[in-house]
Amino acid sequence: MKMGRGRTSRIRRRKLFRSSVSGGVSESYKPEFIELKKWLKDRKFEDTNLIPACFPGTGRGLMSKTSLREGQVIISLPESCLLTTDTVIRSYLGAYIAKWHPPPSPLLALCTFLVSEKHAGDQSLWKPYLEILPKAYTCPVCLEPEVVNLFPKPLKAKAEEQRTRVQEFFSSSRDFFSSLQPLFAEAVESIFSYRALLWAWCTVNTRAVYVKPRQRRCFSAEPDTCALAPYLDLLNHSPRVQVEAAFNEETRCYEIRTASRCRKREEVFICYGPHDNQRLLLDYGFVSVHNPHACVYVSEGWKQLCSY
């Protein structure tokens, strides 16, 4: 094909170059996303606004296929696509959860299901979703102690608290995992290892959306407010956007409505909340550049020094 040499051609090439730099590179062609789209379509979801793409600076996210206007519903994910404690109760784990005392927490139920389904591999009905989940996370709880030791004291203390909390979560869950042995040919200790549970815990902690609290006798009194939302959870965070996100009881879909415009081929963001960078790192494993909610934490020694 002969390339044009006129002014119009130069302008067109400059526009194409700018869009390729500021926009993302589509990942729709990748096998894992082709399978995910098929899986979602079988569950009555087919997106027309967004496509998976890789962006400079943020990595994998969702890109707008068309211009998005203010107030538009950018994604509406049917209830059948959500992974909730209802999903777990209806599964092969339901009977084991119902008879376990004291009742397991909703978080434990979700984590157990994730580990079990990941272990099932090709046999898992959730394989297309599991395939696009991160293989590892960058939350402080996943980092080596030598790395955590380099953190400022307030952040280091929070990171160590988080690690202790997850370790206690694992230790207190081992008897429940043992009760699941009839479901597996392999020893449950090799399936529900600390490393496997840590991955599941981070998956729920970093990717779950909020749903209306539910209370069931088969679960502990801890809030049952988490749902994993395949495809929707590819949306990255920006502190500068505003969205409305909630489960719509009428449509039975989890919907996100944007309060800002977005041009074609731009990355579409949501806001995880008005979090400072310490909170973002602890809960999600990243920090936000030019975060308007940034603040500086000081240790007790500095507080005492400043009081003089």
Side-chain angles (χ1 to χ4, degrees):
M1 181 177 175
K2 198 171 182 178
M3 185 176 287
R5 296 183 179 178
R7 180 173 179 271
T8 302
S9 296
R10 288 197 300 272
I11 293 173
R12 187 181 297 118
R13 287 198 297 273
R14 282 199 296 268
K15 286 183 177 179
L16 180 61
F17 174 76
R18 282 197 298 267
S19 68
S20 65
V21 172
S22 60
V25 179
S26 174
E27 293 196 338
S28 293
Y29 67 92
K30 291 190 173 182
E32 61 266 32
F33 283 114
I34 293 173
E35 290 302 312
L36 179 64
K37 286 292 189 77
K38 290 179 181 177
W39 182 81
L40 290 167
K41 189 174 182 180
D42 289 341
R43 292 170 179 250
K44 312 302 181 187
F45 173 73
E46 191 167 10
D47 190 40
T48 58
N49 295 321
L50 312 172
I51 56 172
C54 187
F55 298 89
T58 56
R60 180 173 284 179
L62 290 177
M63 178 170 66
S64 57
K65 293 169 66 175
T66 60
S67 296
L68 302 176
R69 64 185 182 277
E70 203 173 305
Q72 181 177 346
V73 174
I74 58 174
I75 193 166
S76 181
L77 194 68
E79 187 175 23
S80 56
C81 299
L82 299 177
L83 198 169
T84 66
T85 51
D86 284 335
T87 311
V88 182
I89 290 172
R90 291 193 299 265
S91 75
Y92 49 87
L93 294 174
Y96 291 85
I97 290 173
K99 66 183 180 183
W100 187 254
H101 293 284
S105 67
L107 175 60
L108 177 57
L110 290 173
C111 289
T112 303
F113 185 81
L114 284 170
V115 173
S116 180
E117 289 295 301
K118 189 177 183 182
H119 173 73
D122 292 342
Q123 304 303 313
S124 172
L125 296 176
W126 290 82
K127 182 189 174 185
Y129 175 52
L130 296 172
E131 285 293 301
I132 60 98
L133 289 174
K135 302 297 184 288
Y137 291 90
T138 53
C139 302
V141 70
C142 301
L143 303 179
E144 295 296 326
E146 309 87 76
V147 178
V148 175
N149 284 336
L150 299 175
F151 288 169
K153 283 187 177 180
L155 177 57
K156 179 185 174 184
K158 288 292 183 181
E160 290 174 344
E161 286 176 17
Q162 187 182 62
R163 186 185 297 274
T164 299
R165 190 163 66 249
V166 176
Q167 288 173 340
E168 290 175 350
F169 177 55
F170 172 68
S171 297
S172 64
S173 304
R174 297 176 77 171
D175 287 343
F176 174 68
F177 296 148
S178 296
S179 75
L180 305 177
Q181 186 62 70
L183 294 172
F184 304 97
E186 302 89 339
V188 289
E189 292 82 6
S190 64
I191 299 170
F192 296 94
S193 63
Y194 175 74
R195 183 176 179 180
L197 188 68
L198 177 61
W199 170 83
W201 185 89
C202 287
T203 297
V204 176
N205 199 57
T206 63
R207 305 181 77 84
V209 297
Y210 177 87
V211 291
K212 187 178 178 180
R214 293 159 291 179
Q215 189 66 51
R216 299 184 186 85
R217 291 181 179 178
C218 61
F219 291 128
S220 66
E222 294 178 29
D224 186 2
T225 57
C226 289
L228 289 169
Y231 195 69
L232 181 152
D233 61 6
L234 290 169
L235 289 163
N236 287 319
H237 165 80
S238 171
R240 293 175 178 80
V241 302
Q242 291 183 333
V243 296
E244 293 179 8
F247 184 77
N248 188 322
E249 296 289 347
E250 293 183 7
T251 63
R252 306 303 298 173
C253 293
Y254 194 92
E255 297 178 350
I256 293 183
R257 188 183 300 272
T258 180
S260 52
R261 297 179 181 179
C262 185
R263 291 182 295 183
K264 183 179 179 179
R265 291 190 59 79
E266 280 190 337
E267 181 169 11
V268 180
F269 291 98
I270 57 174
C271 183
Y272 298 172
H275 304 319
D276 61 70
N277 280 339
Q278 175 171 293
R279 172 77 181 276
L280 288 174
L281 183 62
L282 285 167
D283 286 354
Y284 303 104
F286 69 89
V287 295
S288 179
V289 180
H290 307 305
N291 187 351
H293 308 295
C295 61
V296 176
Y297 291 85
V298 296
S299 61
E300 287 298 322
W302 277 103
K303 289 180 183 178
Q304 292 172 5
L305 183 63
C306 293
S307 65
Y308 288 104

